[in-house]
Amino acid sequence: MTFDLIIVGGGPAGLSAAAHAEHLGMNYVLLEGSSAIANTIQRYQKGKHVMAEPMVVPLRSDLSFSAGSREAVLDGWSSGLGDASVRFNAEVTAIAGEKPSLEVTLANGETLSAAAVVLAIGLQGNPRKLGVVGEAEPFVQYTLDDPDEFSGETIVVVGAGDAAIENAVALSRQNSVIIVNRRDEFARAKDGNLNLITRAIDDGSIKCFYSTNVGSVESGKAINLNTETGQARVECDRIIARLGAIPPRGFVESCGIEFPSEDRNALPELSNKYESNVPGLHIIGALGGYPLIKQAMNQGYEVVEFIKGNEILPADHGILEAKFRPLPFNTDVDATLTLIRSRAPMFEDINGLVLRELVLASEILTPKRGNIVFRKNDYTNTFISIIDGQVEIETESGTPITLEAGQFFGEMSLLSGRRRSATVKASTDCVLLESPRREIIKLMNTYEPVRTSIDRTFIVRTLRAGLVPDALQLELEAIASSTEQRNYNADEVLFSEGDEADGLYLIRSGSVSVSRRIGGRDIVTSYVAAGNYVGEMGLVGQSSRSATVKATVATEAIFLSADVFQTMMMRNTGLRERVQSTVKVRLSENLRMEAAPEAGDLISFLMQQGLGEATDVLLIDESLCVGCDNCETACAETHGGTSRLDRAAGPSYAQVHVPTSCRHCEDPHCMRDCPPDAIRRAPNGEVYIQESCIGCGNCERNCPYGVIQMAGEKEPAPNLINWLLTGKGSGPGQREELDASGLQKKAVKCDMCKDLSGGPACVRACPTGAALRMSPSEFVNLTKGGS
């Protein structure tokens, strides 16, 4: 059979293309390899909330789509397709030829031809199987629709990613669940899911086999596992394997489509009409660089218009045009995107549509000569690429560092999550691309050259700022290439007292505590934050470690071997003096803390409560607190009736109590997976939630300190005079939640009363001065001073 258009893949992009082809009366067919539309979304857990991002981009499709449950979205698409020409269970095995005659071969041997083919198969491919004897047994499944369908069963979940964890936790409510992880940790999971599975394993609701792989599956409903200590046989009712999917690259390349590199994450390079290097063969959706549903649906509409010969502009064209209007280049949208790519070498190898998405999410800055881009100690973590002009980075030595077009800055705060380490100002009129942290982190996780470029620059600039400000650029780049990145979990030891001093550690993100063994116990003497270094004492005049250094939170460090460090000292005359000066300061701190071990115990306690990654923590002096709860009441009345803190909850040590309240982390866990990007950080450090929150609950799950809650709207503020006179109605801090049936609750958390003069209401309302907020360094210095 011959068609004008063949669409391969019934996901959001393919469905939108089919709906528009139907609307235009084209001779087309949509081929879907499974028995239902949107196979990937069909695999979502029952009731999963589907996002409609990005909000700023309008939907351009003959199918409707808005955020909602999996079921609502699928029902809407099914009804919207109407009489569209869709063939199910039509697996495509080959595509050959080029425009105007492409041939599509199906698994049943049938051959179809068309003038144009749209490939909308996404990146998921087919679920990865166990790869062992018995993988096809009827009690082995590779998806999970509704966890509530199963009750009273013993279920083995194989996998360590987010899908495996979500399935295991949901099933554990009414089943006995065992999860099999081939590694010794859940390294690929989002923070929220990591917290969920860790708690479930700790409380015994889920049993975990770490460092284990599957040996075989028995037909008698049992699974054989290869564990660290030998083989284990587990009888079970069901096995659910969530092992990801097999990428479709092999199939795509067999169609003649070329990839720009061998990187497994590379995407095909496409024209601005989504056409691949094979004439007539178009690619849309995730495989084309746009993984979000709304964007994929827009592409489905647009590609059909292009194939019909109509010249239309992408849905985001107007947004980009307005964004580029103030620029001095006087070029159209496509030419400006090309210029950005050419001026920023780091973006050279990324897919064109991915670059478009990055620019769409970024801001264009045009500072004039002398304007400040950001100041030292600002709480911002965006990443800035220089498209035109020059900037100067102020240094402690007084000699500024000049950066030109093609270079970037802001990587220090991007990676460490800490305040800006220097002031940057424009030395000429500039054009800067300011990208959100989440977009750059996503690029780093997808494109190895981007990660390498940022990591190398981070190391060079950290060395120049802290150790060798006068070293030549080539020398620093050579040192950076010889370093090693090491990752540590909270409480994991970097090195122990008495170990051989084998190198220096630059703390890239997180923080570490330094302790010494005194009187038979470990005494914490200090903590070291990201952007600093540890391990220097063992490299200057000593051969062994004089203290134990342990990660207080998840920490990344750059390791410089002792040989590299000694070479640096020989080539840079001032390095030894700088390090020896640091050693003297730390020795003095050690002696002071050793004389008052109880201060070290208090610091150690607070580090365990997350002080190591806080920027502002609420502490209560229990010797002054009278338990009046004015702090909670004031917080509630300041924030629409919902208190952001729980005074009585939380641990205590000596007379210091840590209530359940936001710590405003330097690298906030809550911000890492916020679909609408509703969680922001103010210049003074306050982490707050905007009205655009959609109530998905990701931040609540991701916060390891339990300080975020989902809350609905409360009744209006009480008439205080009436309440005082009659006692009727709610008093301060006692408002009831309104009946909001069918409305989704939103996330609430402490925002440090950022819009109120006078500081946090909880502190101002404390009648005895027991409540105070301070940074970790302030508290540690206070503790040392009191010792």
Side-chain angles (χ1 to χ4, degrees):
M1 297 181 66
T2 301
F3 299 89
D4 296 332
L5 170 64
I6 295 175
I7 303 163
V8 182
L15 293 175
S16 182
H20 196 47
E22 177 72 20
H23 175 75
L24 296 178
M26 294 180 69
N27 177 25
Y28 76 96
V29 65
L30 169 62
L31 305 175
E32 167 55 44
S34 67
S35 59
I37 62 169
N39 192 37
T40 298
I41 297 176
Q42 295 280 359
R43 295 174 187 165
Y44 285 177
Q45 205 162 282
K46 185 178 180 181
K48 181 178 176 68
H49 188 73
V50 180
M51 308 296 179
E53 299 296 322
M55 292 184 178
V56 296
V57 176
L59 178 66
R60 175 187 279 174
S61 176
D62 296 274
L63 288 179
S64 62
F65 171 61
S66 59
S69 68
R70 179 200 74 162
E71 291 75 16
V73 170
L74 291 173
D75 287 346
W77 288 342
S78 295
S79 60
L81 282 172
D83 297 326
S85 176
V86 181
R87 287 180 58 177
F88 293 106
N89 299 311
E91 181 184 352
V92 174
T93 57
I95 301 174
E98 60 182 49
K99 178 182 177 182
S101 181
L102 290 105
E103 289 193 349
V104 177
T105 303
L106 305 184
N108 63 6
E110 184 180 359
T111 299
L112 310 176
S113 61
V117 172
V118 171
L119 205 55
I121 58 175
L123 292 173
Q124 289 299 308
N126 299 312
R128 194 180 300 277
K129 300 296 181 68
L130 286 172
V132 299
V133 173
E135 66 176 13
E137 290 291 333
F139 65 98
V140 178
Q141 61 190 71
Y142 295 90
T143 61
L144 177 64
D145 180 23
D146 183 3
D148 294 333
E149 289 181 5
F150 309 110
S151 178
E153 293 188 354
T154 297
I155 301 176
V156 175
V157 177
V158 182
D162 291 305
I165 291 172
E166 290 168 4
N167 288 174
V169 171
L171 288 165
S172 68
R173 290 192 287 266
Q174 51 193 29
N175 299 277
S176 175
V177 175
I178 300 162
I179 190 167
V180 177
N181 184 351
R182 66 188 180 92
R183 300 190 183 278
D184 58 1
E185 59 182 80
F186 291 89
R188 294 186 292 115
K190 296 174 184 175
D191 287 350
N193 284 330
L194 178 61
N195 293 333
L196 284 175
I197 193 64
T198 302
R199 283 199 296 268
I201 293 170
D202 288 344
D203 66 26
S205 57
I206 293 177
K207 180 180 179 181
C208 180
F209 280 93
Y210 288 105
S211 302
T212 297
N213 57 62
V214 178
S216 64
V217 174
E218 297 180 11
S219 58
K221 289 195 173 182
I223 185 170
N224 295 308
L225 303 174
N226 299 319
T227 75
E228 287 184 299
T229 57
Q231 287 198 336
R233 182 179 183 274
V234 178
E235 295 184 355
C236 57
D237 299 291
R238 190 175 308 278
I239 298 171
I240 299 175
R242 303 308 304 267
L243 305 172
I246 302 171
R249 178 162 179 161
F251 168 74
V252 174
E253 288 182 320
S254 74
C255 301
I257 297 172
E258 298 173 355
F259 287 77
S261 73
E262 293 300 318
D263 189 322
R264 63 185 179 87
N265 293 314
L267 299 173
E269 189 62 56
L270 307 175
S271 74
N272 58 7
K273 295 183 178 180
Y274 312 126
E275 191 171 24
S276 71
N277 60 287
V278 177
L281 183 50
H282 300 255
I283 298 176
I284 59 175
L287 183 60
Y290 273 4
L292 298 179
I293 292 174
K294 186 192 291 186
Q295 292 172 319
M297 293 181 71
N298 284 345
Q299 284 188 310
Y301 176 98
E302 291 160 6
V303 75
V304 173
E305 287 286 333
F306 293 143
I307 290 170
K308 285 284 289 182
N310 299 326
E311 294 294 331
I312 65 166
L313 296 173
D316 59 17
H317 183 88
I319 300 170
L320 291 174
E321 190 173 48
K323 195 183 286 279
F324 295 156
R325 194 168 291 133
L327 302 185
F329 307 132
N330 295 319
T331 54
D332 61 21
V333 168
D334 289 337
T336 303
L337 288 169
T338 300
L339 183 146
I340 289 174
R341 183 195 287 273
S342 66
R343 296 280 183 89
M346 188 178 68
F347 301 144
E348 182 179 359
D349 294 328
I350 72 173
N351 174 276
L353 295 179
V354 173
L355 177 63
R356 192 182 188 101
E357 184 181 4
L358 172 68
V359 175
L360 191 66
S362 302
E363 297 294 332
I364 301 288
L365 307 180
T366 55
K368 299 297 183 182
R369 179 178 181 178
N371 288 168
I372 300 295
V373 181
F374 56 67
R375 296 184 183 277
K376 184 176 181 178
N377 291 328
D378 279 355
Y379 275 109
T380 55
N381 56 16
T382 51
F383 180 87
I384 302 178
S385 306
I386 305 173
I387 307 303
D388 195 39
Q390 295 180 341
V391 302
E392 289 184 351
I393 302 176
E394 295 182 1
T395 64
E396 292 184 3
S397 67
T399 304
I401 298 173
T402 299
L403 301 181
E404 301 178 340
Q407 295 181 285
F408 55 80
F409 57 98
E411 78 290 338
M412 304 288 279
S413 294
L414 173 88
L415 297 177
S416 71
R418 293 189 173 263
R419 301 185 186 197
R420 297 297 192 186
S421 58
T423 295
V424 178
K425 68 178 180 180
S427 51
T428 66
D429 292 354
C430 292
V431 175
L432 309 175
L433 183 69
E434 183 180 30
S435 303
R437 180 179 190 272
R438 61 184 298 186
E439 296 298 325
I440 298 299
I441 294 298
K442 183 166 64 176
L443 276 185
M444 291 176 68
N445 291 336
T446 305
Y447 293 94
E448 188 60 34
V450 174
R451 172 177 289 278
T452 299
S453 176
I454 293 176
D455 281 345
R456 291 283 175 84
T457 301
F458 174 87
I459 295 169
V460 167
R461 291 178 182 169
T462 299
L463 290 171
R464 189 182 294 283
L467 291 172
V468 282
D470 302 323
L472 297 175
Q473 182 72 14
L474 288 176
E475 179 189 354
L476 292 177
E477 289 177 356
I479 294 170
S481 66
S482 66
T483 60
E484 175 188 348
Q485 181 176 314
R486 297 184 178 181
N487 300 323
Y488 300 91
N489 295 322
D491 294 327
E492 191 172 351
V493 173
L494 280 69
F495 55 80
S496 298
E497 187 174 350
D499 286 352
E500 179 184 354
D502 58 345
L504 186 77
Y505 293 77
L506 302 174
I507 308 303
R508 183 177 186 256
S509 65
S511 59
V512 299
S513 64
V514 181
S515 63
R516 299 193 68 192
R517 193 76 175 167
I518 301 171
R521 62 193 184 102
D522 292 327
I523 303 297
V524 174
T525 59
S526 63
Y527 100 103
V528 179
N532 298 291
Y533 55 87
V534 292
E536 77 289 343
M537 295 178 71
L539 299 175
V540 182
Q542 300 181 38
S543 60
S544 61
R545 301 297 189 187
S546 59
T548 294
V549 173
K550 181 187 297 185
T552 61
V553 294
T555 297
E556 295 180 351
I558 304 298
F559 177 74
L560 282 75
S561 70
D563 291 341
V564 171
F565 183 77
Q566 296 298 338
T567 301
M568 285 172 57
M569 284 204 296
M570 286 189 292
R571 292 181 178 175
N572 299 273
T573 56
L575 175 57
R576 182 177 293 275
E577 288 74 17
R578 280 188 288 274
V579 173
Q580 287 177 336
S581 176
T582 301
V583 169
K584 288 179 182 179
V585 171
R586 290 183 176 172
L587 283 173
S588 177
E589 290 178 351
N590 290 348
L591 292 172
R592 187 162 57 247
M593 296 301 289
E594 289 169 16
E598 65 279 359
D601 290 342
L602 180 56
I603 294 176
S604 179
F605 160 74
L606 289 172
M607 291 301 161
Q608 293 171 10
Q609 309 312 315
L611 197 74
E613 62 178 338
T615 63
D616 194 287
V617 64
L618 177 64
L619 301 175
I620 294 177
D621 185 342
E622 292 187 320
S623 68
L624 299 176
C625 179
V626 295
C628 65
D629 282 335
N630 280 8
C631 53
E632 283 196 41
T633 301
C635 181
E637 288 307 305
T638 306
H639 296 94
T642 301
S643 176
R644 268 70 167 160
L645 73 94
D646 186 340
R647 178 198 60 81
S652 300
Y653 182 88
Q655 295 177 335
V656 177
H657 177 62
V658 185
T660 299
S661 178
C662 183
R663 289 139 168 82
H664 299 272
C665 299
E666 289 174 324
D667 188 7
H669 302 268
C670 55
M671 294 178 71
R672 294 179 185 172
D673 188 23
C674 177
D677 200 19
I679 305 179
R680 297 299 177 91
R681 177 158 228 154
N684 290 328
E686 306 95 339
V687 179
Y688 64 97
I689 301 175
Q690 299 184 125
E691 286 298 318
S692 55
C693 170
I694 60 176
C696 67
N698 284 0
C699 57
E700 181 186 31
R701 290 187 290 273
N702 285 343
C703 176
Y705 306 113
V707 302
I708 300 179
Q709 56 182 302
M710 308 304 294
E713 188 177 351
K714 293 292 184 75
E715 62 185 12
N719 183 315
L720 185 59
I721 300 299
N722 182 63
W723 177 76
L724 288 171
L725 293 175
T726 68
K728 293 181 180 180
S730 300
Q734 300 173 351
R735 288 187 254 168
E736 296 294 326
E737 191 168 296
L738 295 174
D739 181 12
S741 301
L743 296 180
Q744 199 161 22
K745 295 182 177 182
K746 293 191 175 184
V748 297
K749 66 175 290 297
C750 165
D751 61 0
M752 288 281 291
C753 298
K754 65 181 182 65
D755 297 322
L756 298 179
S757 59
C762 57
V763 174
R764 289 186 286 123
C766 180
T768 63
L772 67 157
R773 279 192 169 274
M774 59 174 59
S775 70
S777 57
E778 289 172 335
F779 186 83
V780 170
N781 289 335
L782 181 66
T783 303
K784 292 177 181 178
S787 62

